[in-house]
């Protein structure tokens, strides 16, 4: 257990003080609150059993790092978080589509101009295809600016006959076998790399990288397949014609949302000490009022607990225990949250989990990220859809077709078959339709680079091709061409549905 349980002079959160604060809030103005979070604090997770914890040798260095994080400014703001909450409410109601993607695990070295721009451009290209196909707005969330830590099946592994720490992500230890000891200074380094990445994302968007007045400025990078390139260019030409018409009739305006888009950041909330240190009690934006029922008694001081490390965080399939530390931490956040739903999740357990993290049943507060695998989605998804429907929760249904379809080659290289990824998405679309539900989004591990990590697709990559450009330090990712192919599949589904 690595939690901070005593206050230090530098301001690390104190569970006892936090609990006292909660009691004081409950009795402000002599009025008792019915807020289900009265017993929650940013550090109440320390009283629960925890999975995927990190053991540090130098505890004083951990305390020093967390104290530094406590003093640093937020990376994201409540206004941005609530704006995303409103957009995800639209997704949950079928009025928008959610595209979420990025690296399996970011490296500090990915905090670089070309790497960041390539991922932004790919997500924008994919969203343009989805808007064209689904005829509805697309909410974009990047697995960027903080997606460093990864859960592992074992904290240790064998290397050259010696037992060493497993690589847990750049915010914990290094990939080099000589750099595997967990280092608390990496927590602070993770903050600065996240902040720099988020800052450059904002700068790119403000500088017109997504300006639809000149969509042909979006480079197609490594997309060499003539058919895919032609499909994309046809979509761009269609939008260009529409914009030309708007300018002709005088409907064009810089306030029309044509020159920029929103791109939010996300990561798995795995390291709870880091997340706690960036959890701040901040004033609610006025827009939050539209997300809660009128009969709910609001916090008396007009504030709430916001995780300011990212706009959106999710709980992994390995850390979703009902009585566990991660569920306890997540239930108190104002941020929209995701929950990975795998084959081992029962329907009753899923509803219990939703009741814990979203007792007010706020629409779109929770995104259920299903990751069954192509061979299991048919047997499991329908039951989960019906269980959630009966519970009264209105969630965002998102398909993660990556994690349930990982395999190893005879040589021991991890990969994913593109046809299996497509198959799980196709099955999810069909099953939601059969249950009078709808797939609200996709959650993908991808990169804007021409990597060779997933096999199949129009490029025809095979196991023998993996060595050409296999650069991931964790799980295999879709390359740009495969990502665009997947976007065309989903867009084509909606186009055919309307025909």
């Amino acid at each position: 257990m690595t939690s901070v349980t005593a206050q230090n002079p530098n301001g690390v959160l104190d569970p006892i003080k936090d609990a006292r604060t909660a009691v004081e809030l409950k009795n402000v103005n002599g009025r008792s609150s019915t807020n289900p979070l009265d017993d929650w604090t940013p550090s109440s997770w320390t009283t629960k059993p925890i999975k995927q914890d990190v053991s540090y040798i130098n505890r004083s260095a951990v305390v020093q790092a967390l104290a530094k994080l406590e003093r640093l400014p937020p990376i994201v703001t409540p206004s941005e978080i609530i704006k995303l909450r409103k957009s995800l409410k639209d997704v949950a109601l079928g009025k928008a589509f959610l595209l979420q993607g990025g690296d399996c695990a970011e490296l500090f070295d990915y905090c670089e101009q070309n790497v960041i721009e390539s991922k932004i451009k790919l997500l924008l290209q994919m969203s343009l295809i989805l808007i064209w196909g689904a005829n509805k707005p697309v909410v974009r969330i990047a697995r960027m600016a903080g997606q460093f830590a990864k859960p592992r099946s074992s904290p240790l592994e064998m290397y050259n006959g010696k037992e060493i720490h497993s690589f847990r992500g750049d915010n914990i230890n290094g990939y080099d076998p000589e750099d595997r000891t967990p280092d608390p200074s990496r927590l602070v380094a993770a903050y600065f790399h996240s902040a720099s990445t988020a800052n450059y994302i904002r700068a790119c968007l403000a500088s017109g990288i997504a300006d639809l007045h000149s969509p042909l400025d979006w480079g197609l990078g490594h997309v060499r397949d003539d058919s895919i390139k032609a499909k994309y260019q046809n979509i761009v030409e269609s939008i260009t014609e529409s914009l030309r018409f708007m300018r002709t009739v005088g409907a064009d305006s810089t306030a029309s949302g044509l020159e920029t888009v929103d791109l939010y950041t996300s990561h798995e909330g795995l390291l709870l000490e880091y997340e706690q240190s960036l959890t701040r009690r901040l004033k609610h934006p006025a827009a939050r009022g539209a997300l809660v029922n009128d009969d709910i008694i609001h916090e008396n001081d007009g504030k709430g607990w916001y995780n300011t490390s990212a706009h959106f965080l999710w709980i992994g399939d390995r850390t979703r225990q009902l009585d566990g530390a991660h569920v306890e931490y997540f239930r108190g956040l104002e941020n929209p949250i995701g929950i990975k739903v795998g084959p081992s999740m029962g329907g009753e357990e899923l509803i219990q989990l939703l009741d814990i993290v979203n007792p007010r049943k706020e629409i779109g507060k929770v995104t259920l990220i299903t990751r069954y695998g192509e061979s299991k989605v048919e047997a499991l998804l329908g039951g989960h859809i019906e269980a959630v429907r009966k519970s009264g929760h209105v969630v965002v249904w998102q398909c993660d077709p990556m994690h349930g379809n990982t395999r190893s080659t005879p040589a021991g290289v991890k990969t994913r078959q593109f046809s299996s990824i497509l198959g799980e998405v196709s099955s999810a679309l069909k099953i939601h339709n059969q249950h009078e539900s709808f797939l609200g989004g996709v959650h993908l591990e991808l990169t804007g680079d021409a990597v060779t990590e997933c096999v199949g697709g129009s490029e025809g990559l095979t196991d023998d091709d993996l060595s050409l450009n296999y650069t991931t330090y964790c799980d295999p990712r879709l390359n740009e061409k495969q990502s665009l192919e997947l976007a065309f599949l989903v867009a084509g589904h909606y186009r055919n549905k309307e025909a």
Side-chain angles (χ1 to χ4, degrees):
M1 186 76 173
T2 64
S3 57
V4 176
T5 55
Q7 187 173 7
N8 65 70
N10 293 315
V12 174
L13 290 172
D14 176 12
I16 299 176
K17 182 179 178 181
D18 288 343
R20 184 171 65 248
T21 300
V23 173
E24 291 169 351
L25 289 172
K26 181 177 180 180
N27 296 291
V28 170
N29 298 325
R31 184 173 65 179
S32 179
S33 169
T34 59
N35 190 334
L37 298 178
D38 280 342
D39 61 343
W40 184 90
T41 71
S43 60
S44 57
W45 64 269
T46 61
T47 65
K48 305 287 185 177
I50 189 169
K51 300 285 187 180
Q52 298 291 323
D53 199 17
V54 180
S55 296
Y56 293 97
I57 296 175
N58 187 346
R59 187 62 206 169
S60 63
V62 176
V63 173
Q64 184 178 8
L66 297 178
K68 173 67 173 178
L69 291 171
E70 283 281 329
R71 297 193 300 270
L72 292 169
I75 296 176
V76 301
T77 67
S79 294
E80 294 171 336
I81 292 168
I82 295 303
K83 188 175 183 181
L84 175 58
R85 282 275 306 270
K86 290 178 64 179
S87 294
L88 290 176
K89 181 176 181 180
D90 287 340
V91 175
L93 295 174
K95 300 177 181 179
F97 190 85
L98 171 60
L99 171 63
Q100 187 169 5
D103 288 295
C104 169
E106 283 182 283
L107 300 179
F108 289 165
D109 285 346
Y110 294 172
C111 185
E112 184 266 330
Q113 177 183 349
N114 293 332
V115 174
I116 295 171
E117 287 182 1
S118 68
K119 280 182 278 194
I120 294 174
K121 288 179 179 179
L122 179 55
L123 289 171
L124 293 173
Q125 289 170 8
M126 294 177 70
S127 66
L128 183 63
I129 295 167
L130 292 168
I131 292 169
W132 169 80
N135 197 29
K136 60 177 66 175
V138 170
V139 180
R140 306 162 189 85
I141 303 180
R143 289 172 58 112
M144 293 173 65
Q147 177 52 18
F148 300 115
K150 291 297 293 183
R152 302 305 298 264
S153 56
S154 173
L156 300 172
E157 65 183 24
M158 297 301 297
Y159 176 77
N160 287 343
K162 179 183 177 182
E163 192 174 60
I164 63 173
H165 289 276
S166 298
F167 176 57
R168 300 282 301 274
D170 261 1
N171 58 348
I172 298 174
N173 56 5
Y175 185 77
D176 189 307
E178 301 299 322
D179 195 20
R180 293 293 181 87
T181 301
D183 180 359
S185 70
R186 286 178 172 267
L187 295 171
V188 178
Y191 170 91
F192 285 110
H193 284 86
S194 298
S196 296
T197 299
N199 178 67
Y200 190 62
I201 291 172
R202 290 187 178 101
C204 286
L205 295 175
S207 299
I209 195 173
D211 189 349
L212 288 184
H213 291 93
S214 53
L216 289 175
D217 288 343
W218 295 4
L220 294 182
H222 301 285
V223 179
R224 298 290 180 250
D225 186 281
D226 290 337
S227 62
I228 295 177
K229 186 178 294 185
K231 287 180 181 179
Y232 172 76
Q233 289 175 336
N234 286 338
I235 297 170
V236 171
E237 289 171 6
S238 176
I239 293 175
T240 302
E241 287 297 320
S242 298
L243 293 171
R244 185 179 297 118
F245 173 79
M246 292 176 65
R247 285 194 293 270
T248 301
V249 299
D252 184 39
S253 170
T254 56
S256 63
L258 299 176
E259 296 185 345
T260 189
V261 299
D262 293 316
L263 179 60
Y264 300 98
T265 61
S266 68
H267 62 257
E268 180 178 353
L270 195 60
L271 298 186
L272 294 185
E273 287 186 320
Y274 178 85
E275 306 300 346
Q276 175 187 324
S277 297
L278 289 167
T279 303
R280 313 287 166 81
R281 189 161 183 83
L282 301 171
K283 185 178 180 180
H284 291 308
R288 179 180 176 271
L291 298 173
V292 296
N293 298 327
D294 293 334
D295 58 345
I296 290 177
I297 298 177
H298 301 283
E299 294 85 351
N300 290 296
D301 65 349
K303 297 180 179 180
W305 291 105
Y306 291 86
N307 182 305
T308 63
S309 70
H311 301 105
F312 179 101
L313 296 95
W314 70 86
I315 305 173
D317 201 40
R318 295 175 177 171
T319 54
R320 55 170 174 74
Q321 295 77 22
L322 296 176
D323 63 347
H326 288 81
V327 171
E328 170 62 22
Y329 171 76
F330 270 72
R331 76 180 181 93
L333 299 179
E334 291 288 341
N335 305 60
I337 63 172
I339 299 172
K340 288 291 186 83
V341 179
S344 63
M345 175 82 83
E348 183 177 347
E349 180 188 8
L350 176 57
I351 303 312
Q352 288 179 296
L353 187 51
L354 286 173
D355 287 341
I356 292 171
V357 299
N358 188 22
R360 293 169 170 170
K361 297 184 177 179
E362 296 173 18
I363 299 174
K365 170 71 185 294
V366 178
T367 296
L368 294 181
I369 311 166
T370 60
R371 32 94 72 227
Y372 308 111
E374 182 190 22
S375 64
K376 298 179 180 179
V377 60
E378 296 273 358
L380 298 171
L381 178 56
H384 284 154
I385 292 172
E386 292 303 322
V388 173
R389 189 200 312 277
K390 292 176 183 177
S391 75
H393 286 277
V394 181
V395 303
V396 174
W397 287 101
Q398 187 183 41
C399 177
D400 168 5
M402 309 297 292
H403 286 88
N405 294 303
T406 306
R407 66 174 178 86
S408 293
T409 69
V413 179
K414 283 204 297 186
T415 188
R416 289 159 174 161
Q417 188 73 37
F418 185 67
S419 60
S420 297
I421 295 169
L422 287 177
E424 183 162 356
V425 175
S426 298
S427 293
L429 287 164
K430 180 187 70 175
I431 294 166
H432 276 286
N433 187 56
Q434 291 172 343
H435 288 266
E436 297 182 342
S437 176
F438 48 85
L439 181 63
V442 290
H443 188 120
L444 308 170
E445 291 184 341
L446 53 80
T447 176
D449 299 327
V451 299
T452 55
E453 297 170 0
C454 293
V455 297
S458 65
E459 197 174 10
L461 295 177
T462 67
D463 288 1
D464 293 336
D465 297 317
L466 293 176
S467 61
L468 295 176
N469 195 23
Y470 193 98
T471 63
T472 183
Y473 283 75
C474 194
D475 289 338
R477 303 160 294 176
L478 296 170
N479 60 32
E480 184 178 29
K481 184 181 300 184
Q482 294 166 331
S483 300
L484 291 175
E485 281 188 76
L486 189 61
F488 281 121
L489 167 80
V490 178
H493 166 83
Y494 286 104
R495 279 284 189 175
N496 294 333
K497 191 175 181 180
E498 290 181 358

